[in-house]
Amino acid sequence: MKQFSYDFHGLTGLAAALKDFQSQCPQQYTDILVQVFTCISEQDIVSSMVEQISAAIPQAKVVGTVTSELPLIEEWEKRRTQLCIMVFQESQVKVHAFAREEQEAEHAWQRKVGLEMAECCQETQHLVGLELLITARSMDARPFLTAMAQKVPDVPVFGGGAYAAVKGEVPFIFSAGGIVKQGILVVAFSSCRLRLMVADSMGWRPLGKTMTITKMLDDYTIAALDHKPAAQVYEKYLGVNREEFRSFNVSEFPLLVEREGKLLARPPIGRMQDDALTFAADMQVGEKVRLSYGDPQTIINQALYMGRKIQSFQPEGILLISCIGRHFYVGEAEKPEIEWYRKIAPASVCYTYGEYLRQGSNINTLTITFVAVAFREGDAPAQAGNPAVDALENQDFQEYLSMVHRLAHFVTVSSQEQEKLAAQLAEANAKLAAANEKLQALASMDRLTQLLNRGEVEQHLQELVQLWTERQRIFSGLLLDIDNFKKINDTYGHDVGDQVLVSLAEVLRGCVRGHDFVGRWGGEEFLVLLPDAEADYAVQVGERIRSSLQQVSVLPEGGCITVSIGAGQIFAEDDFQDFYQRLDKALYAAKHNGKDQVVLAT
C-alpha cells in the first residue's frame, strides 16, 4: 500500500493536492480510501470538497469528520484540512453509513445499528479492522459499541467522534453519500495481506485518594462520590468553585476509572445545580475513581514506548487519532511528536471528541488519549526501518512544559508519600480493628466452652423479650443441665468434667441454626435461645440434643452423658423474669421426673 498525506487551508490547496496524488497514484490497486479531517463546519463547503475529491478520484471511497485545531479560527478560509489517501494493492475497503432520524429512540437505534453492522462483519471474509467515525456530542455510542464488542470479537476497532470547537458550530461526519448530522460511519478493511497495529497512550497519573461512585443520574452524570456531591471533589481538592468551573480546563484533572486493567480518563464537562457532574464518557455506580493530572514526563515516556512499538511494525502508512482535550493540554509540544511518526511513514492526524478503541473484550470510549494505527500490506522487510523515534529522547520538551513538569513532579512525589502514609495508617487501623474484634469476642465468650458467656446470652434474652413486647416477635428457649455432673467430677476429676462441658458445647452448636444463641448460664447449666420459633420447635431441638449426646462417648470408660431440659416459648404477659422462671420450673420438673428428658413449660 501507499499513503499520501496533504495539509492545506480552506479550499486553497485541494486542487493541487488532488493533482499531485493523480501524478503519483500507483497504476495497479484494489481500492482507494480518502479520509478528510477538516476544521471547516460549513456543510455546503464540505460537500463541495467531497464532490471535487470524488470527481478527481471517482474510484475512491470518501469519508471524513469535522474536527478542530489550535488556535481557534473563525474564518473558514483559514482553517486547516488534512487529506489521508490510502491506496491498497491487495486489500478492500467498504464504507457503511448509518444516519438516525429525529423520531428514532437513540438507544434502540444504536443497538439495532450495532447488530446490523455486526451481521455485515460476520459476512465479510478476512475482516482485518474497523474504523468508526461518530457524531459523539449528539449521540451515546455505548449501545452500538456493546453490540459490536459482543458480536465481533477480536477484530481491532478504532476511531473517534466529530468535534467543532467554535461556539454555535455543530460537528458532523460525512461520506460520498452525503452529510450525516447524527449517525455513524464504519470503514471495514478486509484482506489476506493487510496488517494492522493499534497502540495508544495517555499519560495522566492518579492523584489523591480512591473514591467510589455511589449515585448516578444517568450513564454520564455522577451525583455522588463516597455519598457526597460529586462537584465537591473539585471544589475541595482543586479550589474550583461553581463560577470557575465554566472556564476550568477539564482535561487537566479528569477522573480515572479502571476497567479490565486499563485506566480510562473521564473529564467533567458540566456542573449541575445540585452539584452533580456530567462527564464526556460513561461510568457506573460502584466503580472506583481517582482524580488525575497530566504529567508531561509520563506523556512523553508513553509516547516514546508507543512510537517504538509502531516503528518496529515497519508500517507503510499511519493514522493518528488525538483527543482534542489532549491536543489543547499538550499544545505545541505535540508538533514534534507527530513529526516522529512522519519520519517512520506517511502519517495523517485526526483530532476527535473522544476515541473508540477495542481493549480486551470491550470497545471503550476513551478521552485525552493518543492512538496510532499502523497499516502494512504483506510481511515486514527483513531489514529494520529508520530509527526515527530514537531522536525523541534527545528532544528538549521542557521548553514547552518546564514549569508544568516541575509542579507535576512535586505532585507525584507528594502523592506517593501520602499514599504510603495512608497505606500504613490503613494497615495499623486493620490491626487495631482485628485486635478490638478479638477482645470483644473474648469479652463475650465463655473461655472453656467458647459459647456465649452468661452476660452476653442474658443481653440477647433481654433484646428478644423487648422485640416480643414491642412487635410481638415470638421466640422460644431451652434451659438445660447435665445430669449427675457432681458425680462425674468426683469420680473422674475436674479435667474430665471440663471435657464433658466442652463436648456438650460442640453438640449444642451442631443442633441449632446459625442465628440462634447458645450460652453457658453457669456451671453445668446452659441456655439456648431460638428466635422466631414456637414451643414445638423448641421441644424438637431439645430432643435432637438428647439423641445427639447418646452418640458421643465422653467418659473415660466410653460412657455418655445425659441432660435434663426445660423448654418453652414467650407468653403474652411475660417479661424477662417470667420467661426465665418458667424455663427453670420445667427444668426442675425434668430432673424430678427421672432426668434425661425434655419438659415443656406451661
Side-chain angles (χ1 to χ4, degrees):
M1 68 165 287
K2 285 196 74 172
Q3 179 170 317
F4 301 84
S5 298
Y6 300 98
D7 194 334
F8 51 88
H9 294 87
L11 289 177
T12 306
L14 175 58
L18 293 174
K19 184 176 180 180
D20 179 77
F21 169 73
Q22 289 171 323
S23 68
Q24 297 189 65
C25 180
Q27 295 275 327
Q28 303 294 324
Y29 56 82
T30 56
D31 226 332
I32 298 176
L33 173 66
V34 179
Q35 300 197 62
V36 184
F37 310 126
T38 182
C39 301
I40 302 171
S41 56
E42 282 78 358
Q43 294 183 25
D44 55 342
I45 305 298
V46 171
S47 296
S48 174
M49 191 184 303
V50 173
E51 288 173 5
Q52 291 183 53
I53 295 170
S54 296
I57 320 173
Q59 64 274 44
K61 314 289 174 54
V62 183
V63 297
T65 181
V66 173
T67 180
S68 192
E69 60 186 323
L70 286 175
L72 300 180
I73 298 171
E74 296 287 344
E75 300 85 359
W76 71 263
E77 295 92 342
K78 298 179 182 178
R79 297 184 186 182
R80 291 178 63 196
T81 294
Q82 291 192 66
L83 287 188
C84 174
I85 306 179
M86 295 179 172
V87 181
F88 297 100
Q89 293 168 315
E90 301 179 82
S91 308
Q92 288 76 41
V93 175
K94 187 170 183 179
V95 176
H96 303 264
F98 304 94
R100 181 173 78 91
E101 300 295 334
E102 290 291 340
Q103 67 272 17
E104 293 184 276
E106 185 174 317
H107 279 212
W109 180 86
Q110 284 270 338
R111 178 162 177 76
K112 179 190 74 173
V113 168
L115 294 174
E116 184 179 332
M117 187 64 229
E119 187 175 343
C120 293
C121 292
Q122 291 165 354
E123 294 173 354
T124 302
Q125 291 186 339
H126 310 300
L127 183 65
V128 178
L130 297 170
E131 180 179 352
L132 311 178
L133 295 177
I134 301 178
T135 53
R137 270 194 165 176
S138 59
M139 295 180 61
D140 170 13
R142 190 167 51 87
F144 171 79
L145 299 178
T146 300
M148 289 290 291
Q150 292 171 347
K151 299 291 184 179
V152 190
D154 304 326
V155 176
V157 179
F158 52 90
Y163 182 77
V166 177
K167 188 175 181 181
E169 294 186 351
V170 179
F172 54 86
I173 54 179
F174 52 90
S175 69
I179 301 291
V180 178
K181 297 178 183 178
Q182 288 193 29
I184 301 170
L185 292 176
V186 181
V187 182
F189 300 89
S190 59
S191 173
C192 292
R193 298 275 291 163
L194 184 62
R195 307 287 184 265
L196 293 185
M197 172 180 279
V198 183
D200 66 285
S201 70
M202 183 172 60
W204 268 247
R205 295 172 63 97
L207 174 67
K209 69 174 185 176
T210 299
M211 298 167 286
T212 303
I213 301 174
T214 49
K215 183 180 179 182
M216 295 196 69
L217 302 183
D218 55 45
D219 291 339
Y220 296 84
T221 307
I222 298 180
L225 291 166
D226 290 344
H227 304 286
K228 297 177 182 177
Q232 288 186 11
V233 171
Y234 283 86
E235 198 154 333
K236 177 180 179 180
Y237 293 108
L238 300 176
V240 182
N241 61 35
R242 186 178 297 279
E243 291 301 317
E244 293 170 331
F245 200 89
R246 297 175 183 175
S247 58
F248 173 53
N249 185 350
V250 297
S251 296
E252 292 178 351
F253 297 97
L255 293 184
L256 288 186
V257 58
E258 183 176 345
R259 288 185 191 165
E260 287 194 335
K262 292 280 188 178
L263 287 177
L264 310 182
R266 296 294 187 252
I269 57 174
R271 177 172 177 168
M272 302 174 71
Q273 284 297 116
D274 58 359
D275 283 342
L277 291 177
T278 302
F279 289 81
D282 64 290
M283 284 184 279
Q284 301 168 21
V285 168
E287 285 191 314
K288 306 293 183 183
V289 298
R290 291 177 70 180
L291 278 172
S292 69
Y293 65 97
D295 176 22
Q297 193 59 54
T298 303
I299 293 171
I300 293 165
N301 289 342
Q302 288 196 6
L304 254 174
Y305 175 78
M306 187 172 87
R308 288 203 176 101
K309 191 175 177 182
I310 294 295
Q311 180 177 268
S312 66
F313 180 74
Q314 299 184 53
E316 295 171 317
I318 302 172
L319 173 61
L320 300 174
I321 302 169
S322 177
C323 178
I324 198 69
R326 180 186 190 271
H327 181 51
F328 287 150
Y329 179 76
V330 176
E332 295 298 316
E334 196 174 54
K335 289 182 178 179
E337 183 179 18
I338 292 168
E339 288 308 311
W340 311 325
Y341 288 97
R342 286 178 172 158
K343 290 177 181 177
I344 298 170
S348 297
V349 190
C350 176
Y351 296 106
T352 59
Y353 183 77
E355 302 72 60
Y356 306 110
L357 191 65
R358 180 182 287 282
Q359 295 180 314
S361 60
N362 293 330
I363 302 175
N364 286 322
T365 301
L366 311 180
T367 55
I368 56 174
T369 302
F370 191 71
V371 179
V373 187
F375 295 79
R376 189 187 72 237
E377 284 186 310
D379 298 328
Q383 183 64 34
N386 176 32
V389 181
D390 291 343
L392 169 59
E393 289 183 302
N394 301 319
Q395 178 71 42
D396 184 13
F397 283 91
Q398 304 317 315
E399 65 179 282
Y400 301 109
L401 301 166
S402 58
M403 184 181 74
V404 177
H405 172 65
R406 300 304 170 199
L407 288 174
H409 181 74
F410 171 78
V411 169
T412 300
V413 174
S414 298
S415 182
Q416 289 172 345
E417 289 176 348
Q418 292 298 319
E419 287 175 6
K420 185 176 181 180
L421 287 172
Q424 291 172 344
L425 181 60
E427 183 180 2
N429 285 338
K431 288 180 179 178
L432 181 60
N436 286 336
E437 188 177 341
K438 188 174 182 180
L439 285 172
Q440 188 175 359
L442 288 172
S444 64
M445 291 293 177
D446 175 66
R447 288 193 178 184
L448 177 63
T449 63
Q450 295 300 298
L451 298 176
L452 299 175
N453 59 29
R454 175 157 183 159
E456 191 69 15
V457 76
E458 186 173 328
Q459 176 64 32
H460 287 299
L461 178 55
Q462 294 278 16
E463 292 169 357
L464 289 172
V465 171
Q466 186 175 358
L467 285 172
W468 164 253
T469 303
E470 295 175 355
R471 304 182 194 173
Q472 296 298 292
R473 183 175 172 182
I474 200 165
F475 73 94
S476 59
L478 302 170
L479 188 63
L480 56 122
D481 183 272
I482 300 175
D483 297 329
N484 307 312
F485 187 68
K486 184 176 184 304
K487 183 178 178 181
I488 292 173
N489 275 333
D490 292 344
T491 304
Y492 303 108
H494 287 281
D495 287 345
V496 173
D498 287 348
Q499 186 55 49
V500 167
L501 294 171
V502 171
S503 298
L504 174 57
E506 292 176 359
V507 169
L508 293 177
R509 275 191 287 266
C511 292
V512 299
R513 301 167 300 181
H515 64 279
D516 294 333
F517 304 105
V518 184
R520 186 179 179 189
W521 196 246
E524 69 272 25
E525 205 167 56
F526 296 80
L527 179 64
V528 179
L529 301 175
L530 307 167
D532 305 311
E534 297 181 349
D536 289 347
Y537 182 74
V539 172
Q540 291 176 23
V541 174
E543 291 296 345
R544 191 184 307 149
I545 293 169
R546 286 185 57 253
S547 61
S548 296
L549 286 171
Q550 294 172 7
Q551 311 302 317
V552 180
S553 301
V554 294
L555 299 177
E557 73 278 7
C560 302
I561 63 169
T562 62
V563 292
S564 298
I565 304 174
Q569 77 177 51
I570 190 80
F571 282 177
E573 302 301 325
D574 278 354
D575 59 15
F576 174 91
Q577 199 64 30
D578 295 332
F579 177 74
Y580 171 72
Q581 286 179 352
R582 288 194 300 103
L583 287 185
D584 192 50
K585 287 179 182 178
L587 173 59
Y588 177 80
K591 289 282 188 186
H592 185 73
N593 293 339
K595 305 176 182 178
D596 190 20
Q597 58 186 281
V598 180
V599 172
L600 180 61
T602 57

